[in-house]
């Protein structure tokens, strides 16, 4: 097709250029009409053209939908159904019978003097007897639970519980949604609390491994968020109906939440569960939390969308923010050596972190240290996640516990006190668990005795 007139031609020969342009426009209109006629006269060509457009649109919608699924899965820290099913199908599920049974240490030895437990604040976690202390509470159906229905495997005897009662001021028991659905399991938990009546007793809900998590890095501690809010409401409603008359039991809504992106979103979901289950706020404990970027930062050893969760200057576990958002009830706090990054794990570091995070809210809120623990065995140990040997000096077990006591003394000097502290002792007396307070081969048991004396207000009695 001929080209259009140049500016020089338009200026020199205007009439000729006008005629030439009219001719070109006529040709273009004629070609367009012919093209339309061809399409009209060739329906197969028109159908192919339309099919191609529909195919392109379908692919675009598919890509957009996949991107939305991925984004939503990341925000929920849980794949939506298509991705979840795909991951589950690629996983090799654990046997319903669970991991091999382990040898249990009889609960007959404990370094805590019996006279210190009378109405004391120092309690004990009694987890279900399954798995190991790091992941046992997270086991569910198809993910290692020894019970086919996924309920917790509690085997404590009345004799053992009476022994615990002599030495500890209360117990903390856990449950999952499957335990709440099992009447026998609920009755057993109720009986345990009956035996321990009068102490600082706590019931806490745990996350449960889902099959898709077993093929991901989440297979060690879950995704840190409630799997299904409606199921959690139903589970808590069942537990409250069984335990509401036992006024000494506090209800910890959800253990160790770290799968939420915002503090406000986390609190909103906890209140939805509390109010949906009819739990009285004065008996509810809301756990301090780590935002998901903070826990990722801890895992990678560097900040990720904000401060690392183990940075002593970070705002985790966000108790002040939770309070400012309107929560008026009790908080829970967990004290472990790994809560501060390596290289900053002195006694003073742990004490200052406690004062920084608990100090601003302890005046208006009860603070329950629902888990406090450390390795009670001298020498190098094995990391429960990686299997690598841990150097004793890097673990900072002694500084962590002594730092807690230093911080507690300073809080008391200011006229404040904690509501309770429950030792994380190990899983059902598991023999090779270095946190097990009942294992006499753990040669740092004096630390637990010292904790008990000071927490219960008997600090003038010297540790043996």
């Amino acid at each position: 097709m001929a080209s259009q007139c140049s500016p020089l031609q338009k200026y020199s020969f205007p009439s000729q250029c006008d005629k030439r342009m009219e001719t070109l426009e006529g040709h273009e209109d004629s070609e367009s009409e012919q093209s339309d006629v061809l399409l009209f006269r060739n329906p197969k060509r028109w159908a192919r053209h339309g099919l191609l457009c529909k195919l392109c649109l379908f692919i675009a919608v598919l890509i957009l939908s996949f991107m939305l699924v991925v984004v939503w899965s990341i925000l929920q820290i849980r794949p939506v159904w298509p991705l979840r099913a795909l991951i589950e199908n690629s996983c090799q599920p654990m046997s319903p019978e669970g991991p091999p049974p382990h040898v249990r240490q009889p609960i007959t030895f404990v370094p805590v003097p019996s006279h210190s437990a009378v109405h004391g604040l120092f309690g004990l976690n009694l987890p279900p007897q399954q798995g190991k202390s790091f992941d046992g509470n997270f086991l569910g159906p198809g993910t290692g639970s020894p019970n086919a229905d996924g309920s917790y495997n509690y085997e404590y005897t009345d004799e053992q519980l009476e022994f615990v009662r002599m030495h500890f001021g209360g117990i903390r028991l856990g449950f999952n949604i499957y335990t709440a659905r099992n009447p026998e399991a609920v009755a057993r938990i109720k009986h345990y609390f009956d035996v321990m009546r009068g102490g600082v007793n706590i019931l806490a809900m745990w996350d449960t491994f889902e099959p898709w998590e077993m093929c991901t890095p989440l297979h060690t501690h879950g995704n840190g968020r409630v799997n299904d809010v409606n199921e959690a409401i139903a589970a808590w409603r069942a537990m409250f109906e069984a335990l509401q008359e036992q006024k000494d039991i506090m209800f910890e809504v959800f253990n160790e939440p770290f799968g939420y992106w915002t503090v406000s979103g986390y609190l909103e979901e906890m209140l939805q569960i509390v109010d949906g289950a009819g739990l009285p706020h004065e008996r509810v404990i809301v756990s301090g939390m780590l935002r998901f970027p903070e826990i990722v930062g801890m895992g990678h050893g560097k900040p990720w969308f904000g401060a690392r969760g183990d940075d002593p200057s970070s705002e985790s576990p966000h108790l002040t923010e939770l309070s400012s958002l309107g929560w008026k009830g009790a908080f829970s706090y967990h004290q472990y050596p790994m809560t501060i990054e390596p290289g900053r794990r002195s006694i003073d570091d742990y004490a200052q972190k406690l004062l920084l995070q608990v100090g601003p809210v302890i005046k208006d809120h009860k603070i329950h240290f629902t888990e406090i623990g450390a390795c009670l065995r001298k020498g190098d140990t094995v990391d429960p996640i990686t299997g690598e040997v841990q150097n004793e000096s890097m673990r900072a077990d002694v500084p962590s516990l002594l730092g807690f006591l230093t911080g507690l003394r300073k809080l008391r000097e200011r006229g404040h006190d904690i509501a309770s502290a429950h030792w994380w002792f190990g899983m059902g007396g598991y023999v090779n668990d270095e946190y097990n307070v009942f294992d006499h081969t753990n040669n740092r048991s004096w630390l637990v005795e010292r904790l008990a004396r000071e927490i219960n207000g008997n600090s003038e009695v010297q540790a043996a």
Side-chain angles (χ1 to χ4, degrees):
M1 184 178 291
S3 61
Q4 299 179 359
C5 294
S6 67
L8 180 60
Q9 289 174 325
K10 287 182 180 181
Y11 179 77
S12 304
F13 309 101
S15 60
Q16 294 180 11
C17 275
D18 290 342
K19 291 180 180 180
R20 187 175 180 183
M21 291 300 296
E22 290 175 1
T23 303
L24 287 174
E25 290 173 359
H27 279 300
E28 290 175 355
D29 291 341
S30 176
E31 289 177 357
S32 177
E33 291 175 1
Q34 290 177 4
S35 177
D36 292 341
V37 169
L38 287 173
L39 283 174
F40 180 76
R41 290 180 177 178
N42 190 347
K44 292 184 178 180
R45 182 177 179 184
W46 177 258
R48 287 195 298 269
H49 180 75
L51 184 62
L52 183 61
C53 290
K54 291 180 180 179
L55 182 61
C56 292
L57 180 61
F58 174 76
I59 293 174
V61 170
L62 193 65
I63 293 173
L64 180 61
S65 300
F66 179 77
M67 292 175 63
L68 290 175
V69 164
V70 171
V71 170
W72 185 249
S73 298
I74 292 173
L75 291 176
Q76 297 296 308
I77 323 298
R78 183 176 186 249
V80 299
W81 175 78
L83 286 181
R84 192 162 66 245
L86 182 65
I87 297 173
E88 287 180 7
N89 290 335
S90 67
C91 280
Q92 181 64 38
M94 293 183 68
S95 167
E97 289 76 24
H102 53 247
V103 179
R104 297 185 178 91
Q105 176 75 33
I107 302 180
T108 56
F109 164 83
V110 65
V112 180
S114 59
H115 63 268
S116 71
V118 180
H119 304 297
L121 303 179
F122 189 54
L124 180 70
N125 277 275
L126 288 181
Q129 288 138 315
Q130 57 191 45
K132 296 185 179 181
S133 64
F134 193 77
D135 63 2
N137 279 44
F138 298 91
L139 304 181
T143 58
S145 172
N147 294 329
D149 66 351
S151 61
Y152 279 3
N153 184 57
Y154 281 116
E155 300 177 2
Y156 300 106
T157 65
D158 285 359
E159 182 182 9
Q160 290 173 327
L161 288 169
E162 290 291 354
F163 183 78
V164 170
R165 181 184 172 89
M166 290 174 56
H167 297 271
F168 294 91
I171 59 174
R172 178 177 180 247
L173 299 175
F175 78 103
N176 58 15
I177 62 170
Y178 305 102
T179 305
R181 296 171 182 172
N182 185 323
E184 292 183 3
V186 174
R188 190 175 299 114
I189 289 175
K190 184 179 186 302
H191 175 70
Y192 290 170
F193 281 130
D194 280 335
V195 175
M196 296 297 296
R197 190 182 290 270
V200 183
N201 296 310
I202 298 171
L203 178 68
M205 173 181 275
W206 251 259
D207 184 19
T208 303
F209 289 147
E210 295 182 296
W212 68 270
E213 291 176 298
M214 306 313 292
C215 291
T216 73
L218 302 175
H219 74 279
T220 58
H221 235 53
N223 65 350
R225 62 186 298 134
V226 174
N227 290 334
D228 187 293
V229 172
N230 291 328
E231 289 182 344
I233 290 173
W236 266 118
R237 186 181 294 123
M239 300 306 297
F240 181 60
E241 288 176 356
L243 302 171
Q244 58 183 319
E245 299 303 323
Q246 294 172 250
K247 305 299 183 182
D248 60 340
I249 302 175
M250 297 289 290
F251 305 117
E252 189 176 358
V253 190
F254 190 66
N255 174 73
E256 293 187 352
F258 59 82
Y260 295 86
W261 290 87
T262 65
V263 180
S264 59
Y266 158 68
L267 181 60
E268 181 181 354
E269 187 162 291
M270 294 302 103
L271 291 176
Q272 184 180 351
I273 295 171
V274 169
D275 295 335
L279 302 179
H281 284 214
E282 65 273 13
R283 294 179 63 182
V284 168
I285 301 174
V286 169
S287 302
M289 58 94 70
L290 284 170
R291 295 184 303 105
F292 185 65
E294 292 171 333
I295 198 74
V296 173
M298 288 178 64
H300 286 79
K302 57 185 178 181
W304 193 72
F305 289 101
R308 289 170 48 172
D310 55 358
D311 185 337
S313 62
S314 73
E315 296 180 355
S316 64
H318 299 281
L319 302 185
T320 302
E321 188 172 352
L322 288 166
S323 178
S324 66
L325 287 170
W327 177 243
K328 305 298 182 185
F331 287 122
S332 70
Y333 187 106
H334 288 183
Q335 174 77 19
Y336 286 113
M338 71 284 295
T339 55
I340 293 185
E341 61 185 316
R344 304 173 70 175
R345 293 178 174 175
S346 67
I347 293 176
D348 187 60
D349 286 329
Y350 285 105
Q352 290 302 318
K353 182 177 175 68
L354 188 150
L355 293 172
L356 178 67
Q357 297 174 346
V358 173
V361 297
I362 196 170
K363 176 183 175 183
D364 301 313
H365 299 267
K366 291 182 178 180
I367 308 296
H368 294 269
F369 283 75
T370 54
E371 290 183 24
I372 178 171
C375 177
L376 298 177
R377 191 172 298 169
K378 293 181 181 179
D380 298 341
T381 57
V382 178
D383 186 280
I385 303 178
T386 64
E388 298 176 353
V389 175
Q390 292 179 313
N391 181 271
E392 180 178 1
S393 61
M394 290 296 293
R395 289 199 321 263
D397 303 297
V398 175
S400 170
L401 297 179
L402 297 185
F404 167 81
L405 290 179
T406 300
L408 177 60
R409 293 189 205 107
K410 292 183 178 180
L411 287 173
R412 287 174 170 173
E413 289 171 2
R414 300 175 184 178
H416 306 304
D417 204 351
I418 61 175
S420 69
H422 287 67
W423 179 263
W424 185 265
F425 82 102
M427 193 58 61
Y430 181 61
V431 171
N432 288 326
D433 195 315
E434 297 91 355
Y435 283 54
N436 184 0
V437 72
F438 295 112
D439 189 343
H440 67 277
T441 64
N442 286 337
N443 43 23
R444 278 204 176 116
S445 297
W446 63 270
L447 283 169
V448 183
E449 180 180 7
R450 183 166 178 179
L451 278 174
R453 294 182 186 280
E454 293 216 28
I455 291 172
N456 289 333
N458 300 318
S459 55
E460 71 279 1
V461 181
Q462 297 298 315

